[in-house]
Amino acid sequence: MKSGNSRILLYHRIAEGVDDPFKLCVSPARFAAHLEEIGRHGEPSTLAELSLPSRRPRIVVTFDDGYADNLLNALPIAEAKGVPITIYVTSGVLGSPSGFWWDRLSTLLRSRPSAISEITLPIGEGTIRIGLGSSSRRKEIRSVHRHLLPLPVTEIHRVIDAVSEQWGVSAAPPPDARPLTPSEFLTLAASNVVTIGGHTVDHVRLRDLDAADQEQTISSSKEQLERLSGQAISHFAYPFGGKDSFDDHSVDAVRSAGFETACTTISGNASPTSDPFRLPRRMVKNWGRLGFRASLERWRLVPRH
Ligand SMILES: [Zn+2]
């Protein structure tokens, strides 16, 4: 990385008026305002341009996971504003009716029958019980999420199925939170403002896998996306992305699979000394124009007034 003053921004979903316990959504109007501010204060760039010299700070817009609203809501705005976006797609979830497990968990907890005051998670040989109803819904979801996170993804879906059956309620993800279908993925990939990146096959937390399984999911996701899109997939983002979600094996596997960069969710500004396989990002929230500008100031992209 040669550019001295770059920011890689992290979005997940562009949607409004939807249930959003994980704070993943930015409204379309606000996203449009963000892209205008990005154009005003920086040089909207792709990851491939990050190491090229630039008079203005480079700003790279990225999306994690592969939600359908990236095509339906984000793409028209990015195309209208001429801002390149990179979308890290979880290859095995394309077109999956189950979608992402955290969205099923959110539906499940929202549908909890009032007579039920705890959730019993059948995990491994035993069960974990968590009291419900005494703290905020967001805290409850986070607390259950923490117990499920280390499990294999198929196991997480099995646990959610078991509780859903026990409670007699649905755990279908909300329709607005569905992943891209394969044909929507193709439409997205065909846009000249879009770069597709890899995000594993099933959004597993990599550090819970041994080196061989990490290599498998990382290289399979690349192959699947390349076969589907007919494009070379050169960029990767670690699922969850925090420093405890991947390890040195993950970095080695990403490099040997042939990726050129990998983004984390570790907060920071990309600099000439940034490891291209551990790039820091800045998480963007549903800020209005002024809030977004204040964040650009906080990230030292524009001077403070
Ligand atoms: Zn993700």
Side-chain angles (χ1 to χ4, degrees):
M1 295 293 122
K2 298 223 174 49
S3 174
N5 195 20
S6 309
R7 309 291 181 274
I8 308 173
L9 308 188
L10 167 57
Y11 293 84
H12 288 85
R13 299 186 53 198
I14 302 301
E16 71 183 326
V18 301
D19 188 42
D20 185 23
F22 299 107
K23 305 273 181 219
L24 298 178
C25 296
V26 170
S27 82
R30 290 181 162 197
F31 181 59
H34 295 184
L35 296 193
E36 285 167 16
E37 291 299 312
I38 287 170
R40 190 164 297 154
H41 298 290
E43 190 65 38
S45 300
T46 63
L47 282 162
E49 292 166 333
L50 204 55
S51 57
L52 303 176
S54 169
R55 205 168 43 80
R56 302 196 305 162
R58 291 196 180 276
I59 306 181
V60 181
V61 174
T62 70
F63 282 83
D64 277 10
D65 298 341
Y67 281 98
D69 61 45
N70 294 182
L71 170 72
L72 304 173
N73 299 338
L75 182 67
I77 299 168
E79 286 185 329
K81 307 285 178 200
V83 173
I85 55 178
T86 295
I87 300 182
Y88 295 107
V89 173
T90 315
S91 62
V93 182
L94 286 173
S96 153
S98 306
F100 297 103
W101 64 262
W102 49 87
D103 291 318
R104 299 189 66 212
L105 175 64
S106 159
T107 300
L108 180 70
L109 290 175
R110 199 174 51 240
S111 320
R112 170 173 64 90
S114 55
I116 287 175
S117 60
E118 67 174 18
I119 185 169
T120 306
L121 304 170
I123 292 178
E125 298 295 298
T127 53
I128 291 171
R129 291 171 196 281
I130 300 167
L132 300 174
S134 57
S135 61
S136 73
R137 195 171 143 251
R138 199 158 166 238
K139 274 196 185 146
E140 283 180 4
I141 292 185
R142 285 180 179 274
S143 146
V144 179
H145 187 279
R146 203 169 39 246
H147 287 286
L148 296 179
L149 186 58
L151 305 177
V153 178
T154 48
E155 181 68 10
I156 298 176
H157 282 293
R158 196 192 59 73
V159 171
I160 292 173
D161 286 342
V163 177
S164 151
E165 196 171 308
Q166 195 190 331
W167 289 1
V169 300
S170 162
D176 60 84
R178 68 178 179 83
L180 293 156
T181 64
S183 77
E184 287 172 332
F185 167 79
L186 287 181
T187 308
L188 193 62
S191 166
N192 56 15
V193 301
V194 170
T195 303
I196 298 292
H199 201 43
T200 74
V201 173
D202 60 358
H203 208 285
V204 67
R205 187 168 69 168
L206 287 165
R207 77 125 201 249
D208 299 318
L209 303 182
D210 64 26
D213 286 345
Q214 292 198 35
E215 277 172 32
Q216 172 65 24
T217 188
I218 289 167
S219 61
S220 302
S221 70
K222 187 173 192 287
E223 285 158 20
Q224 286 173 6
L225 297 175
E226 288 183 340
R227 202 177 323 122
L228 201 54
S229 69
Q231 303 173 2
I233 304 295
S234 307
H235 306 283
F236 183 82
Y238 303 101
F240 307 104
K243 63 179 180 347
D244 58 354
S245 65
F246 64 98
D247 56 21
D248 291 343
H249 293 305
S250 328
V251 177
D252 290 345
V254 167
R255 193 184 286 116
S256 59
F259 287 105
E260 290 164 16
T261 71
C263 278
T264 69
T265 59
I266 298 166
S267 192
N269 299 334
S271 79
T273 55
S274 294
D275 179 343
F277 293 98
R278 297 171 195 268
L279 291 171
R281 286 189 286 182
R282 294 292 188 180
M283 187 97 70
V284 181
K285 305 242 171 76
N286 189 24
W287 297 311
R289 186 183 296 272
L290 290 180
F292 185 74
R293 204 178 293 155
S295 300
L296 295 181
E297 289 177 13
R298 210 170 49 248
W299 304 333
R300 305 189 312 277
L301 199 101
V302 297
R304 281 178 200 272
H305 300 299

